[in-house]
Amino acid sequence: MGGMNGMDSWEPKQMHPIQQQQRSLWPLGLGSFRNFITWFFFIISMLYILYSSNLLLTNEPRDLNCYNTQQHLSTSSQSLSESNSSSFFSNSSSPSQPINSTPPPIQKEEKQITPLRFDTELKHIVFGIAASSNLWDRRKEYIKQWWRPRETRGVVWMDKPVKSTPTEGLPEIRISGDTSKFPYTNRQGSRSALRISRVVSEMTRLGMKDVRWLVMGDDDTVFLVDNVVRVLSKYDHRQYYYVGSSSESHIQNIFFSYAMAYGGGGFAISYPLAMALERMQDRCIQRYPGLYGSDDRIHACMAELGVPLTKEAGFHQYDVYGDLLGLLAAHPIAPLVSLHHLDVVDPIFPGMSRAEGIQHLFESIRQDSASVMQQSICYDKKREWSISVSWGYVAQIIRGVISPRELETPTRTFLNWYKRADYTGYAFNTRPVTANSCQKPYIFYMRTTRYDRVKQQTLGIYYRHKAPQPYCRWKMQSPETIDSIVVLKTPDHLRWQKSPRRDCCRVLPSNKKSTMLLSVGNCQDDEISEL
């Protein structure tokens, strides 16, 4: 029975339709069922291995890519707010370009080579000129050379009323406020220092609109206003800035300070700083009755405000006597901003008055103010001459080879402020005019400068100054055979928005033996001054 019952249990019975369908899907045998399970797990294992390998070989996983995208967009947004530019964000989010975790290399290069500059213009600058009624008739001739009616803004601050007419093209003239209540105890100075030091405050109280900078100077100071704009455009006018330079005299800097902007050479104060100074200056100068001049009183107040001097080499006090040739012919690689003490030094062009010399210099300034006085150095290899050009002013030819390191050092054509021929009295390196009588320079002063619109370059003609030369036994050709030098130059009004570099000079073939032809301009790749 048991066997029969077991047999009966395997006999087919009448099933429910669903059960019948499931039975039809069941494998026909136990071996087939095991093979099916084996292959099933094998296929699943292979799919898992392939999927894992794909993840390992992929450079950027899906979830990591999402993270980098969010991080990059966040970084781009921050960069956008800092640079006030939308071009980078639009490029990085474009569907045609992949989103990277770092910006494209070209963006980095542009950020490195583009200096931070501000849109300061001449209309944003106001000049405060300290003047004396006793010297006005002579010194106003200097102001006429650089002042631009209806363009420049400013006031001349006088101690007493003077005669003036609107046709002279001079700034507005005002009388300084009374300073009798302020103590002054310096026995070597003058009380006028109190009046001049308050020019900044009195200018601020005028309430002029749209002012970013106040520039102070004396009535015997000549400014190159385009270069003033170039220099001040480097600085944020919304911050506290005190911009100027120290004296050429080492002793003067010791007596006063190397950290002081000398007022004759001019200095600039950002308008927010001028307003802060105005609020405290009268109290400040009460504390310094023993100081000598106006500029050291300004410096004392700046020290109380905690604002240091930002030095710019183009502001020139010129605490020297004599001929400025050595200084101007080797001007620092910086824009020429101001010239001071023009009543003390010799006229910058021989045979002219001081005012005429400045007027003559402005012929070059009007053509290319950014490059005036900028030195370039080259060599005539055939004749073994060293050549130095101070563009718009003078060119020099020297027999023999003098290194650029020497030529860029000013020659001592002048005396220091105490009228001594003491080379240790200067705040910079100098060298003798000549170490050998045969190497005394042949000087060629600028005669005329004009602009060629067809060739888009300036043409300057420099004529030799007929000064006696010492006898020389050298057998090389003498520069005495050259009567004139023609200098060709393409203006570069943006030169100070790039890294500072001296212009290069090239000697060109000339059709006349008595004329030397030079080309001056930006240096090419790998171009150096060498013989």
Side-chain angles (χ1 to χ4, degrees):
M1 291 289 296
M4 291 297 296
N5 288 338
M7 291 296 294
D8 289 343
S9 65
W10 289 101
E11 288 180 357
K13 298 181 181 176
Q14 188 176 0
M15 299 181 184
H16 191 275
I18 296 178
Q19 293 176 335
Q20 187 175 5
Q21 183 178 5
Q22 291 176 348
R23 174 68 181 271
S24 65
L25 295 176
W26 191 260
L28 296 178
L30 184 59
S32 298
F33 173 77
R34 290 176 178 175
N35 291 337
F36 173 79
I37 294 299
T38 301
W39 280 104
F40 175 80
F41 280 106
F42 177 79
I43 293 172
I44 293 300
S45 300
M46 292 300 297
L47 290 174
Y48 177 79
I49 292 172
L50 290 174
Y51 178 76
S52 301
S53 301
N54 186 49
L55 287 177
L56 292 173
L57 295 175
T58 301
N59 290 332
E60 202 168 288
R62 185 183 301 272
D63 56 345
L64 183 59
N65 187 35
C66 180
Y67 168 78
N68 286 339
T69 302
Q70 294 176 354
Q71 183 183 30
H72 177 68
L73 290 177
S74 175
T75 305
S76 300
S77 300
Q78 183 180 0
S79 176
L80 173 66
S81 63
E82 293 175 351
S83 63
N84 294 325
S85 172
S86 61
S87 59
F88 173 68
F89 183 78
S90 61
N91 290 336
S92 64
S93 60
S94 173
S96 61
Q97 297 180 356
I99 298 177
N100 300 320
S101 59
T102 57
I106 188 172
Q107 296 291 338
K108 286 187 176 181
E109 291 177 3
E110 290 181 357
K111 188 172 183 180
Q112 290 175 357
I113 66 175
T114 303
L116 179 62
R117 299 188 69 85
F118 297 87
D119 58 346
T120 296
E121 300 177 22
L122 185 56
K123 65 181 181 180
H124 299 128
I125 300 172
V126 175
F127 293 87
I129 304 168
S132 169
S133 58
N134 294 332
L135 304 172
W136 179 244
D137 287 340
R138 181 172 75 247
R139 291 186 172 181
K140 68 180 181 181
E141 299 301 321
Y142 299 134
I143 300 176
K144 288 180 181 179
Q145 306 305 323
W146 65 269
W147 189 259
R148 299 178 185 175
R150 295 179 297 276
E151 289 186 56
T152 41
R153 305 168 65 188
V155 176
V156 174
W157 295 90
M158 201 74 66
D159 55 340
K160 298 176 183 178
V162 293
K163 294 181 180 180
S164 64
T165 59
T167 57
E168 289 186 289
L170 291 167
E172 175 189 359
I173 297 176
R174 288 176 174 262
I175 306 301
S176 298
D178 181 28
T179 59
S180 59
K181 65 178 181 179
F182 297 101
Y184 187 85
T185 60
N186 191 293
R187 296 181 179 181
Q188 296 178 333
S190 170
R191 287 190 60 89
S192 62
L194 295 170
R195 175 183 71 86
I196 296 172
S197 67
R198 297 179 76 247
V199 166
V200 178
S201 295
E202 293 187 309
M203 290 287 294
T204 306
R205 290 166 190 158
L206 295 178
M208 294 184 177
K209 303 297 182 183
D210 199 21
V211 179
R212 297 183 178 181
W213 294 91
L214 297 183
V215 176
M216 306 298 128
D218 288 351
D219 49 2
D220 63 338
T221 303
V222 169
F223 288 102
L224 280 68
V225 295
D226 291 329
N227 286 343
V228 173
V229 174
R230 289 185 175 100
V231 167
L232 297 183
S233 294
K234 298 191 299 183
Y235 303 107
D236 188 349
H237 55 275
R238 300 165 297 183
Q239 307 295 326
Y240 283 8
Y241 275 106
Y242 168 49
V243 183
S245 189
S246 52
S247 172
E248 291 77 15
S249 169
H250 176 54
I251 299 177
Q252 289 285 91
N253 289 324
I254 291 176
F255 282 167
F256 297 101
S257 175
Y258 268 100
M260 181 184 85
Y262 281 69
F267 58 89
I269 299 177
S270 59
Y271 198 66
L273 177 57
M275 295 180 67
L277 178 64
E278 186 275 331
R279 291 191 292 267
M280 58 83 72
Q281 186 177 23
D282 285 355
R283 302 194 311 275
C284 174
I285 61 178
Q286 291 274 8
R287 292 187 279 272
Y288 303 98
L291 294 180
Y292 175 84
S294 58
D295 40 14
D296 51 352
R297 280 175 167 76
I298 294 290
H299 177 226
C301 297
M302 289 297 171
E304 292 191 1
L305 288 167
V307 179
L309 173 64
T310 299
K311 287 195 176 184
E312 283 287 343
F315 289 88
H316 295 295
Q317 173 77 3
Y318 284 146
D319 282 338
V320 296
Y321 285 91
D323 192 353
L324 289 180
L325 172 65
L327 288 171
L328 297 179
H331 191 273
I333 305 177
L336 175 65
V337 176
S338 66
L339 301 168
H340 180 50
H341 275 150
L342 297 175
D343 280 352
V344 174
V345 298
D346 296 343
I348 61 174
F349 287 99
M352 299 183 183
S353 68
R354 291 178 172 88
E356 289 172 345
I358 295 299
Q359 183 179 11
H360 186 53
L361 179 64
F362 266 81
E363 294 180 18
S364 298
I365 293 172
R366 282 189 287 269
Q367 300 298 339
D368 189 357
S369 59
S371 297
V372 71
M373 295 295 176
Q374 293 306 302
Q375 186 185 27
S376 56
I377 296 170
C378 57
Y379 299 91
D380 188 322
K381 299 182 180 180
K382 182 178 180 181
R383 292 176 281 200
E384 295 186 356
W385 291 347
S386 301
I387 303 166
S388 172
V389 179
S390 177
W391 188 88
Y393 172 55
V394 72
Q396 301 179 78
I397 301 178
I398 306 170
R399 278 178 286 212
V401 179
I402 300 180
S403 70
R405 185 174 184 267
E406 295 176 87
L407 291 175
E408 69 180 10
T409 304
T411 55
R412 293 192 286 269
T413 62
F414 46 87
L415 299 176
N416 64 33
W417 188 242
Y418 297 92
K419 295 186 178 181
R420 300 170 185 165
D422 180 9
Y423 70 91
T424 64
Y426 304 113
F428 50 90
N429 297 114
T430 61
R431 63 184 177 94
V433 174
T434 177
N436 185 297
S437 59
C438 286
Q439 291 187 314
K440 183 179 179 181
Y442 285 76
I443 310 298
F444 298 76
Y445 285 99
M446 184 271 295
R447 176 71 59 86
T448 183
T449 304
R450 62 181 178 85
Y451 182 70
D452 189 334
R453 296 186 179 277
V454 176
K455 297 182 179 180
Q456 295 185 341
Q457 60 182 190
T458 58
L459 186 148
I461 301 177
Y462 300 67
Y463 278 89
R464 181 161 59 88
H465 179 54
K466 300 299 178 66
Q469 293 289 129
Y471 174 73
C472 177
R473 295 183 178 180
W474 290 2
K475 295 182 179 180
M476 68 174 57
Q477 184 175 344
S478 171
E480 197 172 35
T481 58
I482 304 298
D483 293 327
S484 62
I485 298 176
V486 177
V487 179
L488 305 177
K489 184 182 185 305
T490 301
D492 183 7
H493 303 297
L494 302 178
R495 65 178 298 159
W496 302 115
Q497 296 185 23
K498 297 174 284 188
S499 62
R501 187 181 183 185
R502 191 176 57 232
D503 280 334
C504 282
C505 168
R506 305 108 187 170
V507 180
L508 303 178
S510 176
N511 295 328
K512 294 183 178 180
K513 293 183 178 180
S514 61
T515 300
M516 173 176 281
L517 186 60
L518 301 176
S519 172
V520 169
N522 295 333
C523 297
Q524 305 298 321
D525 292 341
D526 298 325
E527 184 177 7
I528 61 176
S529 300
E530 66 174 347
L531 180 58

